[in-house]
């Protein structure tokens, strides 16, 4: 009996040993068992291996420009506080508040997050792109540099928009990969942001290609010339006029760009087809990704239309010969008949796009912009005549009406400035430039031309809000948007623009 | 029983045993009875059957073996041979006089892993047996247990067929994680979650809400594990509690065929009285006039023209349509269940098939469901047993295409006709669905009758769950092992169709004939290996030990297509060439493993300790956060077992319980610890574009619930009174929050994070009493009451702390205050209506007019200077608490709290002469305030929606004294969040009343029926409440800490009348 019991005990021991071994074995293999990878995406550790992946990621930076509401933001930030836009019946109350200079931090137009999405994409390229060199021998340093240059330039462009819209913004220069990253980043001053933009553009200048071997790519991706155009624009904000002229000349002297003749095909060539000879950089929507403009401008309950003064005072009308038109006005920028914004809706002056064909590009820089930026710099350098010549060249191409001509002496710096601004308004109507043009010129020389901004509210704000708006605009901090409420909540390092506190 | 034996002289090595089997009672011979030689492990060695004369001859292989005699319908008899060669047997019938036998077996509790005598349970467990639920006319078991267990809160998402239920055990332990309890069916976890990445297309999550799909008639018992020590054995899946469900199994005996029928008719109670077409046509022009000062132009708004010469508009817009009645019908449910059970010593079976057909009270809602189940038990020997359970459920559910159909029906202009009437006055039979009218266009409004009748939202699902179990006694009576494997195949197909005739949209619109087809397939494998150790430690000690290993692998795939603009309402398949709107697929996999060690030790039957430790691993976390350890310990001290209590003989049991335990919760999303790269849905310049899609979650970890519970259980007077009292606190640490706002500079919008600590604390009392027990009369009474409070203890600074803009109509303010219970809301005090111009003058605390700088009395204003609205006669009047002539945030006061102070249920069961039984069940909630959201929306006179008849008392002319403000279209502040809409929601509801009659055996035996009973149940007959809205039993959806208990229900629960029949053959 005792034997049997011992045997049973042995038995138990053996069995428990087996069980224990089983447990040990299974725990070691458990970690492997629990490691599952997704089937419908690729994880970062497996990405960044080939130059094709790098190319697709760089293309992803551009694709993010099409993400809603990025281009819509660029439009609204650049036009809503200008004097060329009026509210349509479908206008949102947030937008109405901006027109009436009644902005608070709950206003959704102050949400900058979509811009930082593109910045994050660029940062991702800059952080991980160089790794590809290690695993793909067919990738050469110059090709890699080209890609990095595009990322630098796009990041610069985004920060350039942010600094002009919000003034001081946080500079995030590394990619966000995990929840362990520090996202509590304080604002940098507008000056520091501009300097970062300059540094990025200088990097890009040496890296990016001049020619991608295909016209669409040359207009839809960042080329050397696009970088130069951005530099010229930035130099104007930094009051470095010599550098601005030089950057413009780098484009003008290349011989790659001309003004498209102002014939009846001009609108179709430049705006409907896009990627014309005068285009420097365009954000290219396509059939798979439509732009947001159809719902903004084309439907009956449209959110925006052109302000009355755009037709009457800016382009003006030839009362004797109605067919004598500034080609940029009726049937191009807008429809005089109902004041609707037409630039992104037209095929030609007569027929319009279907909703499913609303993929007009967003025009970042055109050759005429380069010419007028150079004119602005030259005027500031004391060469008013050169500026007037450039204006004349633009006006001639556009068949500008005599009624919109301004008689200005070359040494009347303010007069030439006004003329350049008026011509830029006609040339770049609804291309998201108006407010930035006014602000840049207003703030020059310690806000010597604040009148440019004060004049706006008289034509845009509702009468009951006008006085308050003028008072607000006298405070230069009000020229920059507040930081969005939720942003303040999520990033405790941020301090609201004191004007809105 | 009686054995007649004739002794043989000697015992040879191998012998043949002979004998005869007869019935003990009538002494008739038994034919076909089984005579089997079994060894010491009860394994069958050899067997024969008795012949036509009841004789047998069995050649015995081992003279030490025993012989088993069995026949279906008779008690099995096992005898020792003891050297005999002739053994004559008398067998006794089993089913005789069963009704006279009072079964005194102890109730047990079961945590899905170990079965423990209820009186030794160390944890808070609530249980229901099949008897308790069989009389409810519910289609699902979750409906059946609603209100019956303390601390278990179940609320339906809607009254429509197939609507999901929210089950909450002791409140919600998470803000944003999964909130459904784990369901353990026959010892194995039963998946109820929908894969997180499944795109529901036009359906929503609720549509897929996992119906348990188990026929209520198949259920043996349900237990709810409430405290964390009880749930800790289920570790990382048990943070929301555990529901343990066991299905019926076969028992030894003759085949028992049972047929159960339940037929239910349901009616929606009277709807909120709404304006007729004529009353509505008076209101709207007045509303516009009050705003604009000019009459409504009926030349452009022809809906109110009423001009007989404009035939079309006159015919179609002069109706008095009751839209709600048009989409409502009497519902009918039939539930049939046929089961067969029985078995012999070796094999037992339970098989059932059920059909449920439900016609909802809303037009176009139906549910058809077939469930079948086979539970087989086979004993190979006393050491080896196996079980096979296979269940299959097929369901076909038709839901409303648009969940808003009922609210649209309430709002829909009543002067509009359902069907289009042509200029000749003839009803064309086509639905009247104009592209737009004054109420707007789709999706803001549509023809609800067309939407429900012609729209389609069908889901077809098949679920097969085979479960295999093997038990092996490694050392008989000492060391046992079980192995379980369960497969779960769950496939769902969803098809939707939005017909143009309901929306009236132009033919090129994407909403025209929009059709969706989606498949979601899930495949799960669940295993469990248990080692159970039950040593014999003498009389004073008792011990059960368990070592368990579990694994779970769940794979899901989906494929869906959505397209629009098919040529006709008859082309309802997205694959018909048309405009493709969406084409998507996904696949996902989750795995988890767990090891558990659990033991229960009891000393002298008085001191009981149960301890467990569970290790969980889950593939949803990164390698560093993958493992979670969940310990628990619970004790019971049986005071009644102590010597000093021995004399108190009316106390059968008095025990103190205390427990501490941890369980966890895993996130819904898979793979979130990876940084994923994926394509944009579009190209740039013809080339693919890739981006980093998410932020990798290195820090995401288990949400843990640590529960503490102290309980007292006692049973008095021969167990006639049983009481359980529990006080508990469940502390959730590392609270999940999905979608915490991230700084935009990150490039991402939001993140899933562990953000804080939350407590659920409260108490529960459960009482069961046998109040009276005589020969003819029995009265049982049960009562339960519970309270639960939800408090945030710690929260991330990034979590918002207030919600609700008090200056916007219809909103209340809620605050998140650390260490204060959730659910309080704030707003204005409503003081009626400004009756005329003099009433709108602002007054100070003394009641004197406030005078401006120019000497003119100031008018009352709203939210000066930001909004600066001047109140006008007929406007709603709010209390100016600080008497500054300005109604703004300074006048906001506390209005109420939506958390009930008590919830629970009670009811008696009265039995008369053993075969007539009355059961009443009441449920109640006390001490909470709810916002009557329905009343707010049906009396605000703000838009063009139809309103309730309350607005007939509206202010119309200066001097009118009323408490309903004037009609004012899209202007003014007449329906700010105020106490006008806040009401006390306390109620007692007679949830069900049942009369059951069990037919006497003698009566039914003539029909060849063994047993029969019939019952009639009425549900939701009365609700005693001061609440004026439709239903005070508000299910607060979700677990947002800012939630305001708002009643948006348009109809109270349906009133049901069920007839049932149970017949056993």
């Amino acid at each position: 009996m005792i034997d049997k019991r011992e045997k049973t005990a042995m038995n138990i021991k053996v069995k428990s040993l087996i069980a224990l071994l089983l447990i040990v074995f299974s725990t070691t293999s458990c970690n492997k068992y629990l490691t599952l990878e997704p089937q419908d995406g690729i994880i970062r550790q497996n990405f960044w291996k080939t130059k094709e992946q790098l190319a697709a990621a760089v293309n992803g930076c551009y694709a993010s420009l099409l993400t809603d509401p990025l281009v819509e933001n660029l439009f609204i930030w650049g036009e809503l506080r200008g004097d060329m836009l009026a509210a349509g019946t479908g206008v949102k109350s947030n937008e109405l508040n901006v027109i009436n200079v009644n902005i608070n931090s709950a206003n959704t137009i102050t949400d900058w997050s979509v811009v930082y999405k593109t910045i994050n994409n660029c940062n991702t390229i800059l952080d991980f792109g160089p790794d590809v060199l290690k695993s793909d021998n067919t990738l050469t340093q110059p090709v890699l540099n080209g890609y990095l240059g595009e990322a630098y330039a796009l990041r610069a462009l985004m920060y350039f928009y942010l600094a002009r819209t919000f003034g001081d913004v946080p500079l995030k220069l590394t990619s966000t990969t995990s929840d362990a990253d520090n996202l509590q980043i304080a604002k940098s001053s507008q000056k520091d942001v501009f300097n970062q933009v300059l540094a990025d553009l200088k990097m890009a200048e040496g890296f990016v290609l001049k020619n991608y071997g295909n016209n669409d790519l040359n207009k839809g991706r960042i080329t050397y010339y696009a970088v130069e155009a951005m530099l010229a624009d930035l130099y104007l904000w930094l009051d470095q006029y010599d550098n601005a002229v030089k950057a413009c000349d780098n484009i003008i002297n290349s011989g790659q760009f001309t003004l498209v003749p102002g014939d009846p095909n001009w609108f179709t060539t430049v705006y409907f087809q896009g990627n014309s000879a005068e285009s420097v950089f365009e954000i290219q929507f396509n059939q798979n990704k439509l732009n947001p403009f159809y719902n903004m401008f084309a439907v009956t309950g449209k959110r925006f239309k052109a302000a009355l003064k755009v037709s009457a005072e800016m382009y003006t009308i030839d009362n004797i010969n109605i067919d004598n038109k500034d080609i940029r006005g009726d049937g191009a920028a807008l429809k005089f008949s109902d004041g609707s914004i037409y630039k992104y809706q037209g095929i030609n002056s007569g027929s319009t796009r279907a909703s499913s064909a609303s993929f007009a590009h967003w025009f970042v820089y055109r050759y005429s912009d380069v010419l007028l930026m150079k004119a602005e710099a030259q005027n500031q350098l004391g060469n008013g005549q050169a500026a007037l010549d450039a204006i004349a060249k633009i006006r001639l191409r556009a068949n500008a009406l005599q009624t919109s001509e301004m008689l200005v002496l070359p040494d009347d710096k303010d007069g030439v400035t006004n003329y350049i601004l008026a011509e830029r308004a006609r040339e770049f109507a609804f291309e998201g430039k108006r407010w930035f043009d006014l602000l840049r010129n207003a703030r020059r020389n310690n806000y010597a031309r604040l009148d440019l901004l004060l004049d706006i509210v008289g034509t845009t704000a509702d009468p009951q809000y006008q006085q308050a708006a003028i008072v607000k605009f006298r405070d230069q901090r009000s020229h920059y948007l507040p930081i969005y409420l939720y942003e303040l909540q999520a990033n405790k390092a941020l301090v609201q623009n004191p004007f809105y506190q | 029983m009686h054995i007649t034996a004739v002794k043989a002289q000697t015992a040879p090595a191998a012998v043949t045993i002979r004998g005869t089997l007869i019935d003990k009672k009538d002494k008739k011979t038994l034919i076909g009875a089984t005579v089997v030689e079994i060894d010491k492990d009860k394994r069958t060695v050899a067997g024969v059957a008795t012949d036509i004369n009841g004789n047998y001859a069995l050649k015995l292989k081992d003279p030490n073996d025993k012989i088993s005699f069995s026949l279906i319908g008779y008690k099995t008899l096992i005898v020792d041979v003891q050297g005999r060669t002739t053994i004559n047997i008398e067998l006794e019938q089993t089913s005789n006089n069963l009704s006279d036998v009072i079964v005194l077996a102890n109730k047990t509790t079961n945590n899905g892993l170990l079965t423990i005598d209820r009186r030794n349970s160390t944890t808070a467990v609530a249980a229901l047996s099949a008897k308790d639920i069989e009389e409810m006319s519910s289609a699902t078991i979750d409906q059946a247990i609603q209100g019956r267990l303390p601390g278990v809160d179940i609320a339906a998402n809607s009254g429509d067929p197939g609507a999901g239920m929210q089950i909450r055990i002791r409140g919600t332990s998470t803000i944003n994680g999964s909130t459904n309890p784990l369901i353990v069916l026959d010892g194995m976890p039963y998946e109820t979650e929908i894969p997180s990445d499944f795109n529901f297309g036009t359906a929503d999550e609720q549509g897929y809400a996992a119906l348990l799909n188990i026929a209520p008639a198949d259920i043996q018992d349900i237990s709810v594990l409430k405290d964390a020590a009880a749930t800790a054995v289920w570790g990382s899946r048990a943070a929301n509690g555990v529901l343990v469900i066991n299905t019926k199994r076969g028992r030894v005996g003759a085949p028992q065929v049972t047929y159960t029928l339940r037929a239910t008719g349901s009616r929606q109670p009277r709807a909120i009285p709404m304006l007729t077409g004529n009353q509505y046509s008076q209101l709207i022009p007045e509303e516009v006039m009050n705003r604009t000062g000019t009459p409504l132009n009926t030349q452009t708004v022809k809906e109110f023209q009423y001009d007989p010469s404009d035939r079309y508009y006159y015919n179609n817009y002069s109706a008095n349509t009751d839209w709600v009645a048009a989409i409502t019908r009497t519902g009918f449910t039939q539930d049939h269940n046929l089961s067969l059970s029985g078995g012999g010593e070796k094999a037992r079976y339970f098989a059932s098939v059920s059909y449920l057909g439900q016609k909802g009270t809303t037009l176009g809602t139906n549910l058809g469901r077939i469930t079948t189940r086979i539970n087989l038990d086979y004993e190979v020997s006393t050491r080896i047993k196996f079980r096979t359970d296979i269940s299959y459920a097929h369901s076909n559910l038709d839901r409303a295409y648009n969940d808003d159909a009922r609210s649209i029906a309430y709002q829909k202009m009543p002067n509009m006709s359902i069907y289009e009437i042509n200029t000749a006055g003839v009803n064309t039979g086509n639905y009247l669905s104009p592209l737009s009218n004054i109420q707007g266009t789709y999706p803001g409004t549509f023809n609800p009758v067309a939407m429900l009748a012609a729209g389609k939202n069908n889901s077809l699902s098949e679920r097969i769950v085979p479960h295999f179990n093997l038990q092996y006694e490694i050392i008989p009576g000492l060391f046992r092992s079980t192995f379980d494997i369960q497969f779960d195949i769950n496939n769902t197909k969803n098809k939707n169709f939005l017909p143009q005739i309901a929306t009236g949209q132009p033919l090129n619109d994407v909403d025209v004939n929009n059709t969706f087809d989606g498949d979601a397939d899930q495949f799960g494998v669940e295993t469990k290996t248990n080692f159970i150790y039950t040593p014999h430690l003498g009389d004073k000690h008792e011990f059960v030990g368990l070592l368990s290993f579990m694994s779970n692998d769940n794979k899901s795939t989906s494929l869906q297509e959505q397209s629009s603009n098919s040529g006709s309402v008859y082309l309802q398949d997205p694959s018909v060439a048309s405009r493709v709107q969406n084409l998507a697929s996904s696949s996902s996999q989750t795995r988890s493993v767990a090891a558990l060690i659990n033991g229960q030790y009891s000393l002298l039957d008085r001191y009981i300790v149960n301890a467990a430790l569970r290790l969980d691993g889950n593939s949803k976390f990164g390698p560093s956060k993958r493992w979670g350890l969940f310990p628990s310990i619970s004790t019971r001290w049986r005071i009644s077992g102590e010597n000093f209590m021995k004399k108190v003989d009316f106390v059968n049991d008095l025990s103190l319980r205390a427990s501490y335990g941890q369980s966890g919760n895993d996130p819904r999303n898979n793979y979130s610890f990876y940084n994923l790269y994926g394509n944009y849905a579009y190209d740039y310049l013809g080339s693919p574009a890739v981006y980093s899609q998410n932020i990798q979650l290195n820090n995401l970890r288990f949400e843990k619930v640590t529960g503490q519970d102290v309980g007292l259980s006692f049973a008095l007077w021969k167990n006639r009174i049983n009481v359980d009292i529990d006080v508990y606190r469940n502390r959730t640490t590392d609270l999940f929050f999905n979608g915490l706002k991230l700084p935009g500079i990150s490039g991402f919008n939001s993140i899933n994070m562990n953000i804080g600590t939350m407590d659920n604390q409260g108490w529960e009392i459960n009482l069961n009493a046998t109040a009276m027990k005589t020969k003819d009369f029995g009265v049982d009474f049960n009562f339960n009451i519970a309270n639960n409070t939800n408090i945030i203890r710690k929260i991330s600074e990034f979590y918002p702390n207030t919600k609700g803009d008090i200056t916007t109509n219809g909103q209340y303010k809620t605050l998140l205050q650390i260490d204060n219970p959730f659910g309080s809301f704030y707003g204005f005090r409503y003081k009626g209506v400004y009756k005329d111009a003099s009433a709108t003058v602002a007054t100070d605390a003394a009641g004197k007019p406030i005078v401006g700088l120019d000497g003119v009395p100031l008018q009352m204003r709203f939210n000066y200077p930001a909004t600066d609205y001047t109140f006008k006669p007929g406007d709603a009047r709010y209390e100016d608490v600080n008497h500054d002539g300005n109604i703004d945030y300074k006048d906001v006061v506390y209005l109420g709290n939506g958390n009930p102070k008590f919830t629970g249920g009670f009811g008696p069961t009265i039995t008369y002469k053993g075969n007539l039984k009355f059961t009443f069940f009441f449920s109640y909630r006390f001490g909470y305030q709810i916002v009557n959201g329905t009343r707010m929306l049906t009396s605000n006179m703000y838009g063009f929606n139809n309103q309730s008849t309350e607005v007939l008392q509206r202010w119309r002319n200066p001097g009118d004294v009323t408490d309903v403000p004037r009609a004012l279209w899209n202007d003014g502040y007449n329906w700010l969040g105020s106490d006008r809409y806040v009401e006390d929601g306390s109620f007692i509801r007679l949830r069900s009343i049942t009369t059951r009659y069990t037919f006497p055996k003698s009566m039914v035996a003539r029909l060849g029926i063994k047993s029969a009973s019939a019952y009639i149940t009425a549900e939701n007959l009365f609700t005693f409440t001061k609440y004026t809205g439709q239903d005070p039993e508000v299910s607060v959806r979700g677990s947002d800490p800012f939630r305001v208990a708002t009643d948006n229900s348009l109809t109270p629960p349906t009133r049901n009348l069920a007839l049932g029949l149970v017949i056993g053959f």
Side-chain angles (χ1 to χ4, degrees), chain A residues 255-432:
Chain A
Q256 302 290 318
F257 304 92
T258 59
L259 290 176
V260 173
D263 58 29
N265 287 329
W266 172 79
F267 180 84
T268 307
T269 309
V270 174
Y271 292 107
F272 177 70
Q273 290 168 352
N275 299 343
S276 65
E278 67 175 84
S279 162
V280 179
F281 180 49
E282 297 175 5
I283 296 175
Q284 318 227 336
F285 289 93
N286 59 43
Q287 219 137 13
N288 298 325
K289 181 63 193 168
L290 302 178
N291 62 33
F293 299 132
Y294 188 81
N295 287 323
M296 289 166 76
F297 310 135
V299 292
T300 35
K302 53 179 80 75
R303 279 158 64 192
F304 303 108
K305 12 179 237 185
L308 271 180
K309 77 176 197 184
V310 176
S311 51
E313 294 171 27
M314 289 182 166
Y315 292 110
T316 68
I317 299 161
D318 185 341
N319 288 321
I320 298 150
N321 177 6
I322 301 176
D323 291 334
N324 183 26
K325 288 176 177 174
D326 187 324
I327 60 165
R328 300 166 298 182
D330 189 19
L334 72 161
K335 283 277 192 193
F336 279 13
S337 53
D338 61 357
S340 61
I341 294 168
Y342 190 67
K343 193 165 257 178
Y344 305 98
Q345 303 312 320
I347 294 171
N348 52 43
S349 62
S351 44
T352 53
R353 293 167 183 266
S355 67
S356 57
S358 182
F359 45 77
H361 299 169
W362 174 256
F363 305 93
V364 185
Y365 290 105
R366 289 192 289 121
Y367 188 52
S368 49
D369 207 350
V370 176
L371 296 178
L372 288 173
M373 284 195 288
K374 184 180 174 185
E376 189 173 320
Q378 283 172 317
N379 181 40
Q380 294 303 321
L381 290 169
N383 190 354
Q385 188 53 50
L388 290 175
D389 292 347
I391 293 170
K393 188 175 174 187
I394 300 289
R395 289 178 63 81
L396 182 67
R397 188 276 298 258
N399 190 34
L401 299 185
Q402 209 163 13
T403 38
S404 68
E405 198 174 319
M406 289 163 80
L407 294 172
V408 185
L409 296 174
D411 55 356
D412 176 3
K413 218 181 224 184
D414 280 357
V416 174
T417 294
N418 290 350
Y419 202 0
I420 293 172
L421 278 173
E423 207 51 51
R424 285 185 67 89
R426 282 186 281 271
E427 183 68 23
F428 310 117
F430 313 119
E431 291 181 29

Side-chain angles (χ1 to χ4, degrees), chain A residues 421-489:
Chain A
L421 278 173
E423 207 51 51
R424 285 185 67 89
R426 282 186 281 271
E427 183 68 23
F428 310 117
F430 313 119
E431 291 181 29
K433 298 205 175 260
R434 179 64 174 165
W435 167 258
F436 297 130
D437 287 347
L438 292 167
L439 179 61
R440 179 177 68 242
N441 283 286
R443 58 176 235 147
R444 194 164 280 149
N445 302 327
N446 201 17
Y447 280 92
R449 294 296 312 276
L450 188 61
D451 60 301
L452 290 172
L453 299 182
L454 298 184
D455 289 349
I456 290 179
V457 287
T459 68
T460 55
D462 280 356
Q464 52 184 352
Y465 296 105
Q466 271 177 21
Q467 281 312 311
I470 288 171
V471 172
K472 286 175 186 170
F473 265 176
R474 285 192 193 282
D475 187 333
Q476 63 195 56
R477 296 173 304 183
S478 77
H479 304 155
Y480 300 102
L481 294 179
I483 295 173
Y484 193 37
L485 195 67
Y486 292 108
E487 211 58 41
L488 288 169
Q489 198 184 318

Side-chain angles (χ1 to χ4, degrees), chain B residues 627-831:
Chain B
W627 297 94
L629 204 56
F630 303 97
S632 71
I633 183 156
S634 52
T635 61
R636 181 177 188 131
W637 174 33
R638 180 168 291 114
I639 304 168
S640 55
E642 299 289 352
N643 286 330
F644 60 84
M645 288 289 289
K646 283 272 152 66
K647 287 173 196 154
V648 192
D649 56 358
F650 69 91
V651 178
N652 303 93
D653 186 42
L654 172 63
S655 294
L656 209 55
R657 289 177 283 112
S659 75
Y660 169 90
Q662 270 189 358
S663 48
N665 204 354
D666 56 353
R668 282 201 64 183
N669 292 359
N670 286 324
Y671 314 122
S672 58
F673 59 96
Y674 287 117
N675 184 186
L676 273 182
Y677 282 64
N679 275 309
Y680 278 100
Y682 48 87
D683 61 284
Y684 187 77
L685 284 164
S687 300
V690 170
Y691 70 115
S692 160
Q693 289 177 314
N694 68 326
I695 180 162
Q696 168 179 328
L697 303 181
N698 292 344
N699 290 328
L700 195 69
R701 52 198 181 271
F702 279 109
E703 180 179 85
K704 281 192 180 177
V705 177
T706 307
Q708 286 158 284
D709 185 301
V710 179
L712 182 72
S713 305
F714 55 89
L716 308 175
W717 295 293
K718 292 179 185 167
N719 288 327
R720 278 175 70 168
I721 292 180
N722 275 288
V723 179
D724 287 304
I725 301 170
D726 280 280
V727 180
Y728 65 91
R729 188 183 74 188
N730 288 341
R731 170 159 291 181
T732 312
T733 45
D734 290 335
L735 262 180
F736 279 141
F737 188 76
N738 290 350
L740 188 69
K741 185 92 180 139
L742 266 185
I745 56 167
S746 64
F748 300 100
N749 298 327
S750 61
I751 192 172
N752 300 346
M753 254 179 82
N754 302 90
I755 58 158
T757 302
M758 181 169 80
D759 278 354
N760 270 284
Q761 56 193 45
W763 48 264
E764 298 157 2
I765 299 171
N766 193 20
L767 168 108
N768 285 300
T770 306
M772 196 203 250
K773 201 170 184 181
T774 64
K775 192 163 169 290
D776 286 347
F777 255 114
V779 178
D780 289 308
F781 187 77
N782 62 66
F783 171 81
N784 70 69
I785 183 165
N787 162 275
N788 181 70
T789 316
N790 214 200
I791 302 171
I792 287 272
R793 296 292 182 196
K794 208 167 82 189
I795 195 126
S796 157
E797 58 175 327
F798 303 114
Y799 194 80
N801 54 20
T802 96
K803 195 173 182 179
D805 176 11
I806 200 68
T807 63
T808 304
N809 275 321
Q811 292 199 27
Y812 288 84
K813 185 151 201 92
T814 44
L815 307 169
L816 187 140
Q817 292 160 299
I818 301 292
D819 294 338
N820 269 322
F822 285 3
S824 293
F825 49 91
Y826 303 81
F828 297 106
R829 268 200 208 111
Y830 184 71
K831 290 284 166 201

